[in-house]
Amino acid sequence: MSDGLDSRQTALDLLHKVLEQKQSFDVLLETDKNFRALDSRDRAFVHMLCATALRRLGQCDDLLLKLQDNPHPHMAPVLKNILRLGITQILWMNVPEHAAVSTSVDLCEARDMPRMKNLTNALLRRLLREKDALLSKQDSIRLNIPGWLLTPLIADWGLGEAGHIGDALLSEAPLDVTIKNPGMLEHWMKELDARHVFFNTLRLQNPSGVTSLSGYEDGHWWVQDAAAALPVQLMGEVEGKLVYDLCAAPGGKTAQLAAKGARVVALDRSAKRLVRLHENMTRLSLTAQVETVTTDAAHWHPQEQADIVLLDAPCSASGVIRRHPDILHLKSEKDLDGLIKTQARIFDHAASLVKPGGVLVYCTCSVLKAEGENQVSAFLEAHPDFSRHAFTPDELAGNDKFINETGEIRLFPNIMDEIGGLDGFFISRLKKEAPAPE
């Protein structure tokens, strides 16, 4: 790794773009020229530094206030971000304390703020002396989880469970992959140094440089969390069946369906996202089974109804905050309300796309009932020709704790925490009534 200043300058720029300009962290990691110019070790460090700062931002800001005898009410954003990165390195990363302090001071010089060097040095050195006492008085959940998420989380699941969920959301997520050919699981477990989670999912023990790993370029596997792989895994036999994959990009579930022999029509309203999906299908040699359509799924009228419709609805993504911590700072209560309305609109139209006797699978990567259980209840009231087709423990290899009281799958990031947890997810399987025999 370099001497550290270049990487920390890049981290400072990325943090500013997320927090001040409201840009997507994932997009920045793909497009930011300074980040892409770093070597692989520095990129990994910057990614981890920014992600941890975004997860722990509330704690950082609380500590900033407590470390100042006379708090600056209007601290410049760049100075605030320098201090946030310094605090993050001292408390939550394996960085030598002297390096965390000295590089933070150097950032002040590099950003033409020499008068702030003494303040930065004093605050971070005070943190070194008092960190244990200060941390012991913090409520990490209430400080880091914003009200738009924490309030409904507590209302849905109770204070205690909300605390467990919130704590898990602040952790780093493991890296899972789906193996294209289930007969090769044992081979890829050894080749990728991975453990088997369930079905076709392997969890990498030492993930790094994913695209350079064995089997990636040849299309033997793709990155996909174990929870996100469940909707298709639980569809049963789909070979030869027509499946509409609504809101399909970037295509993990599309790939699963195609690999299992389904005839897939993959929809997304973003042409750019469908380009990425097509690139993924090309790498996986699955393009022959997949047709793509750029359209709003709520207004699409195909010529025939499908055997199965999969709606992985746009949502708050609150269940994947471990992977995308910028969600904590880019979403709001207004955004959540809009997403809930969008889900209901697409869900309602999806009913017309399912042939009688067919199946509609609704899922979201959310930990909130408003985007899961409540949506299904409202849908069933409006569509009496549909009913829940409950999941059973046998389908889930005995994991009955995944199944809620109405037979749907409800996952939280603290489930299976002994191996690193799962993404927060909700899955409901609904059967459309078949016509009565004549």
Side-chain angles (χ1 to χ4, degrees):
M1 192 154 57
S2 68
D3 61 8
L5 187 57
D6 285 347
S7 60
R8 286 165 174 82
Q9 288 221 64
T10 301
L12 183 60
D13 290 336
L14 293 179
L15 198 61
H16 174 82
K17 289 174 181 178
V18 172
L19 297 176
E20 308 303 325
Q21 299 176 6
K22 304 303 180 184
Q23 295 187 43
S24 162
F25 186 44
D26 285 346
V27 171
L28 288 170
L29 294 178
E30 292 183 4
T31 61
D32 187 86
K33 292 180 180 179
N34 291 332
F35 177 76
R36 302 308 305 173
L38 296 172
D39 66 37
S40 59
R41 292 181 65 194
D42 279 354
R43 284 200 304 273
F45 173 78
V46 169
H47 186 178
M48 180 62 70
L49 175 55
C50 288
T52 307
L54 289 168
R55 291 186 190 105
R56 301 286 176 173
L57 202 72
Q59 284 179 274
C60 288
D61 290 353
D62 179 67
L63 289 168
L64 268 180
L65 289 174
K66 291 175 179 175
L67 289 169
Q68 299 176 72
D69 293 326
N70 297 299
H72 291 60
H74 303 294
M75 183 178 286
V78 64
L79 176 59
K80 200 169 191 177
N81 286 334
I82 288 172
L83 290 164
R84 285 163 166 167
L85 293 176
I87 291 170
T88 298
Q89 292 170 79
I90 289 170
L91 296 180
W92 299 295
M93 294 185 67
N94 187 26
V95 174
E97 293 177 345
H98 68 87
V101 175
S102 64
T103 53
S104 298
V105 172
D106 290 343
L107 278 175
C108 293
E109 184 77 46
R111 293 306 167 99
D112 198 25
M113 296 188 303
R115 296 175 61 186
M116 296 295 103
K117 291 168 62 176
N118 288 340
L119 175 64
T120 298
N121 184 66
L123 293 181
L124 295 181
R125 290 197 178 281
R126 182 175 179 181
L127 176 63
L128 292 178
R129 295 191 302 270
E130 303 177 17
K131 59 184 178 181
D132 292 340
L134 289 170
L135 279 175
S136 68
K137 297 175 183 177
Q138 285 193 316
D139 183 339
S140 62
I141 306 303
R142 292 192 180 276
L143 287 171
N144 295 315
I145 307 295
W148 69 262
L149 174 56
L150 185 58
T151 298
L153 196 63
I154 293 172
D156 285 347
W157 311 111
L159 185 60
E161 184 60 24
H164 295 314
I165 296 167
D167 191 51
L169 288 175
L170 298 176
S171 64
E172 184 184 356
L175 183 66
D176 297 340
V177 300
T178 296
I179 303 302
K180 182 179 175 182
N181 179 357
M184 296 288 289
L185 274 174
E186 289 289 338
H187 167 78
W188 290 112
M189 280 177 65
K190 296 176 183 177
E191 187 73 15
L192 298 173
D193 185 22
R195 68 179 298 165
H196 185 220
V197 182
F198 41 60
F199 298 107
N200 291 25
T201 297
L202 298 182
R203 177 157 293 178
L204 274 59
Q205 308 282 55
N206 299 291
S208 62
V210 170
T211 58
S212 64
L213 292 176
S214 173
Y216 178 84
E217 286 294 340
D218 295 330
H220 291 292
W221 52 266
W222 59 92
V223 174
Q224 184 179 33
D225 185 78
L230 283 176
V232 174
Q233 294 288 10
L234 297 173
M235 284 181 186
E237 183 57 61
V238 298
E239 186 172 1
K241 292 183 179 180
L242 176 61
V243 183
Y244 294 154
D245 184 2
L246 311 183
C247 312
K253 298 176 184 65
T254 304
Q256 287 180 277
L257 290 163
K260 293 178 75 172
R263 296 181 295 126
V264 190
V265 180
L267 278 71
D268 204 278
R269 64 185 303 171
S270 168
K272 186 175 181 180
R273 285 168 58 84
L274 279 178
V275 168
R276 173 63 63 85
L277 182 146
H278 188 268
E279 290 172 350
N280 288 333
M281 296 309 108
T282 299
R283 178 175 64 83
L284 298 167
S285 301
L286 295 172
T287 53
Q289 296 99 304
V290 179
E291 175 188 349
T292 59
V293 179
T294 305
T295 188
D296 183 340
H299 301 289
W300 183 57
H301 299 280
Q303 292 185 338
E304 62 178 315
Q305 294 175 312
D307 300 291
I308 302 171
V309 171
L310 170 61
L311 173 53
D312 186 357
C315 70
S316 65
S318 53
V320 294
I321 283 171
R322 297 187 306 168
R323 303 179 190 283
H324 310 288
D326 54 333
I327 290 168
L328 294 166
H329 313 290
L330 299 182
K331 293 281 197 320
S332 67
E333 185 176 353
K334 182 179 179 181
D335 294 324
L336 180 59
D337 291 342
L339 286 164
I340 291 168
K341 292 175 183 176
T342 297
Q343 292 155 15
R345 182 167 54 87
I346 302 174
F347 201 0
D348 180 69
H349 182 66
S352 68
L353 306 179
V354 185
K355 74 179 186 182
V359 172
L360 170 56
V361 176
Y362 173 85
C363 57
T364 59
C365 54
S366 171
V367 291
L368 301 178
K369 287 185 178 181
E371 300 185 282
E373 292 86 344
N374 296 357
Q375 285 285 16
V376 172
S377 295
F379 175 88
L380 291 174
E381 284 187 19
H383 298 275
D385 53 334
F386 280 83
S387 59
R388 289 185 180 90
H389 184 190
F391 295 103
T392 66
D394 286 345
E395 293 178 276
L396 286 154
N399 286 301
D400 55 348
K401 61 184 176 182
F402 292 2
I403 305 172
N404 68 13
E405 62 277 4
T406 53
E408 293 151 331
I409 291 176
R410 166 51 77 187
L411 301 176
F412 297 117
N414 53 315
I415 288 178
M416 296 182 71
D417 58 355
E418 68 278 3
I419 64 165
L422 300 172
D423 282 351
F425 225 83
F426 172 83
I427 311 168
S428 182
R429 182 174 58 187
L430 307 170
K431 188 79 177 281
K432 191 172 187 177
E433 185 177 302
E438 298 181 1

